[in-house]
Amino acid sequence: MRVALPVPIDRLFDYRVPAAHEDEVVPGTRVRVRFAGQEVSGLVVPKDLVTCEDSLVAEDSTRELSEIDAVIDEEPVVSEAMMRILAEAAREIYSPIGLALAHARPPGSTPRTARPYALTPRGERALAQRALGADALGGDAFPLLTRLADKPLTLGALSKAFPRIDVSGRLASLVADGLIERRFERRGPTARIPMERIALIAPDIDAHAASESELARAPRQAALLRQLAAAKDGIATRWLTKRDSNVGSHLRSLAARGFIVFEERPRLGATETVLDGGGEVTLTSDQADVLVPIRDSIKRQIDQVFLLHGVTGSGKTEVYLRAVAEALSRGRQALVLVPEITLTHQIVARVRARFGDQVAVLHSGLKPGERLAQWERLRTGQTNIAVGARSALFAPLENLGLIVIDEEHDGAYKNDEGFRYHARELARKRAEDASCPLILGSATPSLESRYSAERGEITRLSLPRRVGGRPLPAVEIIDLGREKDKNPRGRKLILSKPLRGAIEAALDDGGQTILFLNRRGFSTRVFCFQCGHAERCDDCDVALVFHSAEYQLRCHYCDLVRAVPEECSGCGDPETALLGVGTERLEEEVSSLFPKARVMRLDRDLASKRGHTESVLRGLKNEDVDIVIGTQMVAKGHDFPGVQLVGVIAADIGLHLPDFRAAERTFQLLTQVAGRAGRAERPGRVVIQTFVPDHYALAPVATHDYEGFYREEILHREALGYPPFGQLTRTVVHAEDEEATRLAAQTLARAARALIHDGARLEVLGPAPAPIARLRGRHRAMLLFKGTDEALLRRVTEATLAAAKRLPREVQVALDARPVNML
Ligand code: ADP
Ligand code: ZN
């Protein structure tokens, strides 16, 4: 029997099954086995899940197979289709297969199993004979057998009960004599499924007729019966008793009279059913148009991929809801993915409002038992819609009719550890397997998806207008290079004149302002706030990184080294070349310019303080703060009707990250930030400060011109061979020792370069320090493979991984075949 184990080794393992359990051990069930001296739970896989050509270590026929300890599940808990999808994905991205398959197992800890000893029929006979006086049992055996006649017990329990006997030796000889045997026993799940009692109207009962006849003198019972008649799936008794503690006795008498019945059902986490807001609206003509091909694919069961490209507020969510309804009406299930469940309450609430109890919301706040309950309901088809973050992809929907990925461009869809899958790619595989459409929705599609639509691989559908003709927010771009106003110390003001004016106006109006400073990785970037100049690598087109220890600049892609300029090479400013601007300095300036305003700051340093983030968000919500200064934490997901102005302090900063997606990220982030302003009746205003007002990632934010941005960015990608044109593979080597890290990275680079011939359509870049060159006390070096020859890329990657196995133990290697996070 072949088993996948959750260990970072790229192979499957063979175990022996005791004859008694042969029938139970089918693919998709879990078993408990010994591995490297540890007890682990593995997943039984089909024998042919991966073949030898898939470069897994082949069967080791010389090894004596060990026996499994226990069978955990009575029936398969993972479908064969899911196992095949994950095995294929693991192979594509070079992930250890066991780590990939581990994602599909039911949530919560594995149920405990035990191997107690029990009497065999022969043992029972022997015991009976002894009772009749015929003593065939020697010495200590009798008390042991008597104890086991009561119930099966484990070695541990018996040793405790008979401290003076050599229990283990005795048991072994009793097994050998065939008097007792060892059994497998499941001790119930550790994550117990919480149940609740549901009251339902009994079949064929007419509540109104009953109210007027038998229940005429019991008005409370009659009312209760009518309430239950109205609830199709019954009502949990805990909800009823919450409102009226006498309900219990009324329910009992209704049940006694045969009007109602009770049922035990798994209790779901936090299901306050939203009753209002579920009403349907009339579709706009744009929405109706895009739904035609989507419904058609659902109906005809075609695994078509749609890119639903719609500006913020264009009604994408309504399209998802209608598509979900279509899948349900055809008896199929739907999966809706969102980037981060805590930041996307709105869409979750809307799915709930529309579909009520049909929805399982899979979020990290669920207790293990609740999560398991949701999982079981989906697997058995009692619940038909799963909503969740990327891990919801593994939900056991056996009858999938639709997958939706909202905000498909979001980096949160990529898993950055272990099995480094991208939800978009796995969703495609699931859709293909289930023969159902996949909708990728976004206001700012990823370059990959947009390009794929351009090539006709996926179908682009567009919603170019906001619902109800509401205008998109007004976005102004301010050129910081033309700002001359100085503070008393002679430094340039951080807030430009137009932004100061806008804050003033918002304050006068009683509106709130968010000032957004994207400071990520800031101190290591050479960015001059006086003129906006940043040092870049000409070859790789990414920002150079300042290394304080060696006091020099380096390219973190190709390892070019440059001296730190004495003064800003853009404007000659002697001081700020390395400093840029921080939130503290901004707060100082805001407070001195607007002394009466109530100002709060939210950045990473402060966010770690207990309760601080909540108090800032509360301040925004209750409108008892005027100006909030924050980093990207304030940009995402929150909706505050009082926010009238969003100011972006230095849009350039995001452009100067050593990441080939820096422009794309900046455009997406700013478009999203702009969407924050003026959600309520008041029109919103957005002011973006920058030194490069004409930059192709910034100017189109103001004109809401995604296409303009896309056309420019795709040229850059093509020129440098970055995705979606070439593939990029990223390998990070890390160790505590700097020299060991460097040597190991060089070893891998040599192994990779050995396969590169002249004219190959593949480059090996580096090794260079990783953009985050030190993390948790470990030095990090990075190696990139970039090119269009996929077969060669595979060979080079495999050679690198093989070389990685021979590195010293203290060095670790993390390979990401399709990286999203480049830092
Ligand atoms: P998106 O997901 O594209 O940002 P939403 O689906 O949230 O857009 O729609 C924006 C707003 O318009 C929401 O308040 C939604 O309820 C409303 N809306 C969507 N479709 C319609 C429609 N056909 N008629 C009226 N209002 C609609
Ligand atoms: Zn470079």
Side-chain angles (χ1 to χ4, degrees), residues 536-544 554-560:
R536 296 177 79 82
C537 170
D538 297 332
D539 293 335
C540 303
D541 196 26
V542 292
L544 295 175
R554 277 171 109 155
C555 171
H556 281 218
Y557 280 21
C558 73
D559 209 25
L560 167 118

Side-chain angles (χ1 to χ4, degrees), residues 281-284 287 311-318 350 467 470:
V281 293
T282 311
L283 293 175
T284 63
Q287 286 171 325
V311 297
T312 52
S314 61
K316 293 185 290 297
T317 310
E318 185 62 34
R350 282 169 71 183
V467 173
R470 284 181 296 139

Side-chain angles (χ1 to χ4, degrees), residues 82-283:
M82 179 67 89
M83 291 191 271
R84 293 198 187 280
I85 288 170
L86 294 179
E88 186 187 299
R91 194 177 112 72
E92 280 172 19
I93 61 175
Y94 313 93
S95 169
I97 186 166
L99 294 185
L101 287 167
H103 284 262
R105 299 183 308 175
S109 47
T110 326
R112 295 299 310 173
T113 49
R115 299 189 62 183
Y117 288 90
L119 290 187
T120 59
R122 191 164 159 207
E124 275 167 20
R125 271 198 306 279
L127 205 57
Q129 279 160 11
R130 158 84 187 229
L132 293 173
D135 193 355
L137 298 171
D140 313 325
F142 180 64
L144 280 175
L145 290 181
T146 315
R147 194 53 83 92
L148 290 178
D150 221 14
K151 65 169 185 203
L153 288 169
T154 60
L155 173 63
L158 287 168
S159 306
K160 225 180 196 169
F162 300 100
R164 259 168 271 166
I165 302 178
D166 166 22
V167 173
S168 170
R170 233 12 189 135
L171 290 174
S173 65
L174 288 171
V175 170
D177 293 344
L179 296 174
I180 62 172
E181 65 186 0
R182 248 185 128 176
R183 293 209 182 135
F184 293 92
E185 206 173 77
R186 184 163 175 166
R187 289 276 156 101
T190 32
R192 230 177 277 277
I193 297 180
M195 304 295 276
E196 68 185 354
R197 202 158 187 231
I198 309 283
L200 293 143
I201 188 159
D204 303 326
I205 294 293
D206 180 338
H208 285 278
S211 308
E212 276 156 29
S213 49
E214 288 107 311
L215 294 177
R217 300 234 221 106
R220 304 280 299 277
Q221 290 185 34
L224 199 53
L225 187 64
R226 284 196 301 272
Q227 195 183 349
L228 290 173
K232 183 163 54 81
D233 296 323
I235 300 177
T237 53
R238 73 193 159 94
W239 287 115
L240 295 168
T241 48
K242 213 183 212 170
R243 299 213 181 109
D244 174 2
S245 51
N246 288 330
V247 160
S249 66
H250 298 318
L251 286 173
R252 275 192 300 278
S253 24
L254 283 171
R257 291 167 187 243
F259 287 130
I260 65 167
V261 291
F262 294 110
E263 206 181 283
E264 295 285 317
R265 246 190 243 155
R267 175 171 167 176
L268 303 177
T271 37
E272 324 85 61
T273 314
V274 190
L275 293 174
D276 41 24
E280 297 200 357
V281 293
T282 311
L283 293 175

Side-chain angles (χ1 to χ4, degrees), residues 488-518:
R489 270 172 286 160
R491 320 290 313 155
K492 188 145 103 187
L493 285 182
I494 299 171
L495 301 177
S496 64
K497 202 165 180 179
L499 183 51
R500 295 200 301 271
I503 297 172
E504 196 86 59
L507 285 171
D508 285 349
D509 223 20
Q512 295 172 305
T513 295
I514 291 178
L515 293 177
F516 173 67
L517 182 62
N518 181 2

